[in-house]
Amino acid sequence: MTTTTTTTHAPKSAVSRIVAAGTHQRVLAFTSLIILLIGFSLASPNFMQTSNMIAILQATSVNGVLAVAVTLVIITGGIDLSIGTMMTFCAVITGVVLTYAGLPLLFGVIAAIATGAGCGLASGTFVAKMKIPPFIATLGMMLILKGLSLVISGTRPIYFNDTPGFSEISRGSLIGEVLPVLPIPNGVLILFIVAGLAAYILGRTVLGRYCYALGSNEEAVRLSGVNTDRWKIAIYAMSGSIVGVAGLLIASRLNSAQPALGLGYELEAIAAVVIGGTSLSGGRGTILGSLIGALIMAVLTNGLRVLSVAQEWQTVVTGAIIILAVYADMMRRKRSS
């Protein structure tokens, strides 16, 4: 008598499919980054110069920190349109503390991060407690913070000329002091520290697990007895505190708080996040992917500038990339469903 043994393979879990899809998107994004670098290098000999590479990294530091911040919110299935003007508002509050009040540098750093956390807390409360759709809640917050920045500053820039060491937050180079051949700005170092902490929180903490769970199936999480409103508010607050870091970086780089600055930064950050594989429907995304997306945006903008492409056409290209990134996300969701 012959016995036939049949081996049955269990289907991949939902988590496995998400990880596989995310890895594929990160590889695709990284490949696109390499292609852009090679293409612009061939188009212009000035592109790969050390000073230009540093400029790209410096630009990535601000947009990258914003991308990290908004990644947390988007993974929950939300959106935050206020991060650009929130960054500006944090910079203005830093100017009030350091320039107007004359307090030490540490107080300015704390004020920026605390202000961002407070703004995120307010946005999270609007979304979680008042049940206002994230798009509308953060759009309203964007306008509120834009107006407050102009009111508090008197519509004038606030300069940090009398604050020793403030410009070193972004433009200095601790790495360059140790390794002169690598004059990487402190802003880039701060970006990687922030990204590393955010990646750890997403991958190793309860907050990170609930972040993904809220984006995957918020109702199921609520029915399991979890206070979803509390966790959602906490995520928005943490995202806001990271935006406060971006406010410090942009103010340090410009050595001033520009109250009219900020609009448009949120779109580039969201585009970077989507390019990096984070789904706008929530439940999927990584910090590494968002960093790659931020680098793509910075390289593209810088490369077009090096090639002397007019500013208005640069804006057209950025808009087209946002549309393509969202369309690609829709196609990914359709294939995975």
Side-chain angles (χ1 to χ4, degrees):
M1 187 172 76
T2 305
T3 303
T4 304
T5 303
T6 304
T7 304
T8 303
H9 296 282
K12 285 186 176 182
S13 66
V15 174
S16 301
R17 289 196 299 271
I18 289 173
V19 170
T23 302
H24 174 75
Q25 178 60 22
R26 288 195 298 274
V27 171
L28 184 61
F30 185 72
T31 303
S32 300
L33 175 62
I34 298 301
I35 292 173
L36 280 175
L37 288 171
I38 294 174
F40 283 126
S41 300
L42 295 175
S44 173
N46 298 323
F47 180 76
M48 288 300 290
Q49 291 183 355
T50 302
S51 59
N52 194 54
M53 290 295 101
I54 292 176
I56 290 174
L57 290 175
Q58 189 74 281
T60 306
S61 65
V62 173
N63 195 40
V65 170
L66 289 177
V68 169
V70 81
T71 297
L72 303 177
V73 173
I74 292 178
I75 288 176
T76 67
I79 197 72
D80 194 342
L81 299 179
S82 68
I83 57 172
T85 53
M86 189 190 302
M87 174 186 71
T88 300
F89 183 64
C90 292
V92 168
I93 295 300
T94 303
V96 170
V97 170
L98 297 181
T99 301
Y100 291 172
L103 295 176
L105 179 60
L106 179 61
F107 286 88
V109 173
I110 294 173
I113 296 174
T115 298
C119 294
L121 185 70
S123 294
T125 301
F126 296 154
V127 173
K129 293 295 186 181
M130 299 174 65
K131 307 304 178 185
I132 300 174
F135 183 91
I136 301 300
T138 58
L139 178 62
M141 181 60 74
M142 177 182 75
L143 297 175
I144 290 171
L145 295 178
K146 178 184 177 182
L148 286 176
S149 297
L150 293 169
V151 170
I152 293 173
S153 65
T155 70
R156 295 185 300 273
I158 303 175
Y159 294 96
F160 298 95
N161 297 327
D162 297 327
T163 305
F166 185 77
S167 63
E168 296 299 306
I169 293 176
S170 180
R171 294 188 290 181
S173 180
L174 292 175
I175 296 176
E177 292 179 6
V178 179
L179 298 171
V181 294
L182 289 174
I184 298 175
N186 289 337
V188 179
L189 181 62
I190 292 172
L191 165 61
F192 285 119
I193 291 173
V194 169
L197 290 173
Y200 177 82
I201 290 170
L202 275 179
R204 301 289 182 178
T205 69
V206 175
L207 182 65
R209 288 196 292 273
Y210 281 130
C211 194
Y212 284 107
L214 288 171
S216 297
N217 194 331
E218 182 178 344
E219 187 60 24
V221 177
R222 181 182 291 109
L223 292 175
S224 67
V226 176
N227 188 336
T228 55
D229 290 349
R230 184 181 66 183
W231 286 106
K232 189 175 291 186
I233 292 172
I235 291 166
Y236 272 87
M238 185 171 68
S239 174
S241 66
I242 296 174
V243 174
V245 175
L248 281 172
L249 292 179
I250 192 69
S252 173
R253 194 172 85 186
L254 301 174
N255 204 34
S256 64
Q258 301 286 338
L261 192 68
L263 285 176
Y265 278 84
E266 66 283 339
L267 298 180
E268 289 195 13
I270 292 171
V273 169
V274 177
I275 289 170
T278 298
S279 174
L280 285 173
S281 62
R284 185 174 72 226
T286 62
I287 300 299
L288 176 59
S290 296
L291 287 181
I292 295 174
L295 275 169
I296 288 175
M297 296 298 294
V299 167
L300 184 63
T301 301
N302 181 275
L304 293 175
R305 190 176 297 125
V306 168
L307 295 178
S308 300
V309 175
Q311 178 64 46
E312 52 269 27
W313 282 108
Q314 294 180 33
T315 305
V316 170
V317 171
T318 301
I321 287 175
I322 292 173
I323 293 173
L324 288 174
V326 173
Y327 179 73
D329 177 58
M330 291 169 58
M331 292 299 101
R332 287 199 304 271
R333 294 205 307 269
K334 187 178 294 185
R335 285 196 299 268
S336 62
S337 61

